[in-house]
Amino acid sequence: MKEIQLEVPTPDGSMPVFAAMPQDVAVAPGVLIYMDVFGPREELDDIARRFATAGYLAVVPQLFHRLGSPAFAPANRQDDALDPAAARANQATSMQMSAADTAALISFASAGGFGMATGLWGAIGYCMGGRHAIAAATTHPRHVRAALSVHGGRLVDASKASPHNMIASSTVPLYYFFAKDDPTCPAAHQELIRQAAASTAGRVQVEQLDAHHGWTFPARWCYDKHSTERVWEKALAMFRSSLWSEHQPLLD
């Protein structure tokens, strides 16, 4: 496995990116890993490394690059309050911004920026990143062919641009993993997403796991190994089905 840190040009300046990839492979499908509110860190890099060992070019973009690329200490106890600066960064980073970043990453990869040819992409996002992963797939469905939201937050709001409204216009497989008793995606929001998914003839699916918000990260109070492995099982199956059968490079 090979890993690199680099800067990817975007319309709003350069974006720091961590990438892990198989060693001595000329072409592979890619996985875009959308960060949670705490920003890029070793926990997310480890997720990229695991995808790389499965044969993917795995990329973790710094979605807060417009704000100077801050990162925040994860909340490691149940009663820890979110850093107000992290909440502001979350609020300031729109899906339109991350969709533009996704386009920049796809273009960068197509030009050989990662040192290998890359075909189709999958997307997976954690907490805050859940809605950004879904936005990647609904905005760029020719390239991003499947996406998962994992204990995603702020998936429903009162605006016409609410993230859950993307389901109706989606054309590729989407999967929502919900946490139980999740203040960032309460039961009423989960039900709205279930209702929207029910009209897609199985293209969009939802699943609630018996785990708390943030269950993915081993250093966190809420870590749940069973739920984490369930996500891996589903993500790898979706990406295998959607990316590997036709992962010839898309050069435009």
Side-chain angles (χ1 to χ4, degrees), residues 95-96 98-99 129-139 149 154-155 159-172 174 176 193 196 200 203-204:
M95 293 182 297
Q96 290 77 15
S98 66
R131 65 184 181 275
H132 295 290
I134 300 299
T138 55
T139 307
S149 168
R154 294 178 56 194
L155 297 174
S159 72
K160 290 183 179 180
S162 173
H164 82 288
N165 289 331
M166 294 185 292
I167 291 173
S169 61
S170 65
T171 59
V172 302
L174 307 177
Y176 290 81
I193 293 169
T200 67
R203 186 183 69 256
V204 180

Coordinates of all heavy atoms in Angstrom, one line a residue, residues 95-96 98-99 129-139 149 154-155 159-172 174 176 193 196 200 203-204:
M95 N -23.4 21.7 1.0 CA -23.3 20.6 0.1 C -22.9 21.1 -1.3 O -22.2 20.4 -2.1 CB -24.6 19.9 0.0 CG -25.0 19.2 1.3 SD -26.5 18.2 1.1 CE -27.7 19.6 0.8
Q96 N -23.2 22.4 -1.7 CA -22.8 22.9 -2.9 C -21.2 23.1 -2.9 O -20.6 22.8 -3.9 CB -23.4 24.3 -3.2 CG -24.9 24.2 -3.5 CD -25.8 24.0 -2.2 OE1 -25.3 24.1 -1.1 NE2 -27.0 23.6 -2.4
S98 N -19.1 21.2 -1.1 CA -18.5 19.9 -1.2 C -18.7 19.2 -2.5 O -17.8 18.5 -3.0 CB -19.0 18.9 -0.1 OG -20.4 18.6 -0.3
A99 N -19.8 19.5 -3.2 CA -20.0 19.0 -4.6 C -18.9 19.6 -5.5 O -18.4 18.9 -6.4 CB -21.4 19.3 -5.1
G129 N -20.3 14.2 7.3 CA -20.0 13.8 6.0 C -21.0 13.0 5.3 O -21.0 12.8 4.1
G130 N -22.0 12.5 6.0 CA -23.1 11.7 5.4 C -23.8 12.4 4.3 O -24.0 11.9 3.2
R131 N -24.2 13.7 4.6 CA -24.9 14.4 3.6 C -24.0 14.8 2.4 O -24.5 15.0 1.3 CB -25.6 15.6 4.2 CG -24.7 16.7 4.8 CD -25.6 17.8 5.4 NE -24.7 18.9 6.0 CZ -24.2 18.8 7.2 NH1 -24.3 17.8 8.0 NH2 -23.4 19.9 7.6
H132 N -22.7 15.0 2.7 CA -21.8 15.4 1.6 C -21.6 14.2 0.7 O -21.4 14.4 -0.5 CB -20.5 15.9 2.2 CG -20.7 17.2 3.0 ND1 -21.1 18.4 2.3 CD2 -20.7 17.5 4.3 CE1 -21.2 19.4 3.3 NE2 -21.0 18.8 4.4
A133 N -21.5 13.0 1.2 CA -21.4 11.8 0.4 C -22.6 11.6 -0.5 O -22.5 11.3 -1.7 CB -21.2 10.6 1.3
I134 N -23.8 11.8 0.0 CA -25.0 11.7 -0.8 C -25.0 12.8 -1.8 O -25.4 12.6 -3.0 CB -26.3 11.8 0.1 CG1 -26.3 10.7 1.2 CG2 -27.5 11.8 -0.7 CD1 -26.3 9.3 0.6
A135 N -24.6 14.0 -1.5 CA -24.5 15.1 -2.5 C -23.6 14.8 -3.6 O -23.8 15.1 -4.8 CB -24.1 16.4 -1.8
A136 N -22.5 14.1 -3.3 CA -21.5 13.8 -4.3 C -22.1 12.8 -5.3 O -21.9 13.0 -6.6 CB -20.3 13.1 -3.7
A137 N -22.9 11.9 -4.9 CA -23.5 10.9 -5.8 C -24.7 11.5 -6.6 O -24.9 11.1 -7.7 CB -23.9 9.7 -5.0
T138 N -25.4 12.4 -6.0 CA -26.6 12.9 -6.7 C -26.1 14.0 -7.6 O -26.8 14.3 -8.6 CB -27.6 13.4 -5.7 OG1 -27.0 14.4 -4.8 CG2 -28.2 12.3 -4.9
T139 N -25.0 14.7 -7.3 CA -24.6 15.8 -8.2 C -23.7 15.3 -9.3 O -23.7 15.9 -10.4 CB -23.8 16.8 -7.3 OG1 -24.5 17.2 -6.2 CG2 -23.4 18.1 -8.2
S149 N -24.3 7.1 3.7 CA -24.3 8.0 4.8 C -24.3 7.2 6.1 O -25.2 6.3 6.3 CB -25.6 8.9 4.8 OG -25.7 9.6 6.0
R154 N -27.9 16.1 10.5 CA -28.5 17.2 9.7 C -28.9 16.8 8.3 O -28.7 17.5 7.3 CB -27.5 18.4 9.7 CG -27.3 19.0 11.1 CD -26.2 20.2 11.0 NE -26.7 21.2 10.0 CZ -25.9 22.1 9.5 NH1 -24.6 22.2 9.9 NH2 -26.3 23.0 8.7
L155 N -29.6 15.7 8.2 CA -30.1 15.2 6.9 C -31.4 15.8 6.5 O -31.9 15.5 5.4 CB -30.1 13.7 7.0 CG -28.8 12.9 7.2 CD1 -29.1 11.4 7.4 CD2 -27.9 13.2 6.1
S159 N -35.9 23.6 4.6 CA -35.7 24.3 3.4 C -36.0 23.4 2.2 O -36.0 22.1 2.3 CB -34.3 24.8 3.3 OG -33.4 23.8 3.1
K160 N -36.2 23.9 1.0 CA -36.4 23.1 -0.2 C -35.1 22.4 -0.5 O -35.1 21.4 -1.2 CB -36.8 24.0 -1.4 CG -38.2 24.6 -1.3 CD -38.6 25.4 -2.5 CE -40.0 25.9 -2.4 NZ -40.4 26.7 -3.6
A161 N -34.0 22.9 -0.1 CA -32.7 22.3 -0.3 C -32.3 21.3 0.7 O -31.1 20.9 0.8 CB -31.6 23.4 -0.4
S162 N -33.2 20.9 1.6 CA -32.9 19.9 2.6 C -32.2 18.7 2.0 O -32.6 18.2 0.9 CB -34.2 19.5 3.3 OG -34.0 18.4 4.2
P163 N -31.2 18.2 2.7 CA -30.5 17.0 2.1 C -31.4 15.8 1.8 O -31.1 15.1 0.8 CB -29.5 16.6 3.3 CG -29.2 17.9 3.9 CD -30.5 18.7 3.9
H164 N -32.5 15.6 2.6 CA -33.3 14.4 2.3 C -34.0 14.6 1.0 O -34.5 13.6 0.4 CB -34.3 14.2 3.4 CG -35.5 15.0 3.4 ND1 -35.5 16.3 3.8 CD2 -36.8 14.7 3.2 CE1 -36.8 16.8 3.7 NE2 -37.6 15.8 3.3
N165 N -34.2 15.8 0.4 CA -34.9 16.0 -0.8 C -34.0 15.5 -2.0 O -34.5 15.4 -3.1 CB -35.2 17.4 -1.0 CG -36.4 17.8 -0.1 OD1 -37.2 17.0 0.3 ND2 -36.4 19.1 0.3
M166 N -32.7 15.2 -1.8 CA -31.9 14.7 -2.9 C -32.3 13.3 -3.3 O -32.0 12.8 -4.4 CB -30.4 14.7 -2.4 CG -29.8 16.1 -2.3 SD -28.0 16.1 -1.9 CE -28.0 15.4 -0.3
I167 N -33.0 12.6 -2.4 CA -33.3 11.2 -2.7 C -34.2 11.1 -3.9 O -34.0 10.2 -4.8 CB -34.1 10.6 -1.4 CG1 -33.1 10.4 -0.3 CG2 -34.7 9.3 -1.8 CD1 -33.7 10.0 1.0
A168 N -35.1 12.0 -4.1 CA -36.1 12.0 -5.2 C -35.3 12.1 -6.5 O -35.8 11.6 -7.5 CB -37.1 13.1 -5.0
S169 N -34.2 12.9 -6.6 CA -33.5 13.1 -7.8 C -32.3 12.1 -8.0 O -31.6 12.2 -9.0 CB -33.0 14.5 -7.9 OG -32.1 14.8 -6.9
S170 N -32.1 11.3 -7.0 CA -30.9 10.4 -7.1 C -31.2 9.3 -8.2 O -32.3 8.9 -8.5 CB -30.7 9.7 -5.8 OG -31.8 8.8 -5.5
T171 N -30.1 8.9 -8.8 CA -30.1 7.9 -9.9 C -29.2 6.7 -9.6 O -29.2 5.7 -10.4 CB -29.8 8.5 -11.3 OG1 -28.4 9.0 -11.2 CG2 -30.8 9.6 -11.7
V172 N -28.5 6.7 -8.5 CA -27.5 5.6 -8.2 C -27.9 5.1 -6.8 O -28.6 5.8 -6.0 CB -26.1 6.1 -8.3 CG1 -25.7 6.7 -9.6 CG2 -25.8 7.2 -7.2
L174 N -28.0 4.4 -3.0 CA -27.7 5.2 -1.8 C -28.1 4.3 -0.6 O -29.1 3.6 -0.7 CB -28.4 6.5 -1.7 CG -28.4 7.4 -2.9 CD1 -29.2 8.7 -2.6 CD2 -26.9 7.8 -3.2
Y176 N -28.5 4.6 3.7 CA -28.4 5.4 5.0 C -28.3 4.4 6.2 O -29.3 3.6 6.4 CB -29.7 6.2 5.1 CG -29.8 7.4 4.1 CD1 -30.2 7.2 2.8 CD2 -29.4 8.7 4.5 CE1 -30.3 8.2 1.9 CE2 -29.5 9.7 3.6 CZ -30.0 9.5 2.3 OH -30.1 10.6 1.4
I193 N -36.9 10.1 5.8 CA -35.9 9.5 4.8 C -36.4 8.2 4.4 O -36.3 7.8 3.3 CB -34.5 9.5 5.4 CG1 -34.0 10.9 5.6 CG2 -33.6 8.7 4.6 CD1 -32.7 11.0 6.4
A196 N -39.1 8.7 1.8 CA -38.6 9.0 0.5 C -37.9 7.9 -0.1 O -38.0 7.7 -1.3 CB -37.6 10.2 0.7
T200 N -38.3 4.7 -4.2 CA -37.3 4.5 -5.2 C -37.1 3.1 -5.7 O -36.1 2.8 -6.3 CB -35.9 5.0 -4.6 OG1 -35.5 4.1 -3.5 CG2 -36.0 6.4 -4.1
R203 N -33.7 1.4 -4.8 CA -32.4 2.1 -5.1 C -31.8 2.8 -3.9 O -30.6 2.8 -3.8 CB -32.6 3.1 -6.3 CG -31.3 3.7 -6.8 CD -31.5 4.8 -7.8 NE -32.2 5.9 -7.3 CZ -33.5 6.3 -7.5 NH1 -34.3 5.5 -8.2 NH2 -34.0 7.4 -6.9
V204 N -32.7 3.3 -3.1 CA -32.2 3.9 -1.8 C -32.7 3.1 -0.7 O -33.9 2.8 -0.6 CB -32.8 5.4 -1.7 CG1 -32.3 6.0 -0.4 CG2 -32.3 6.2 -2.9

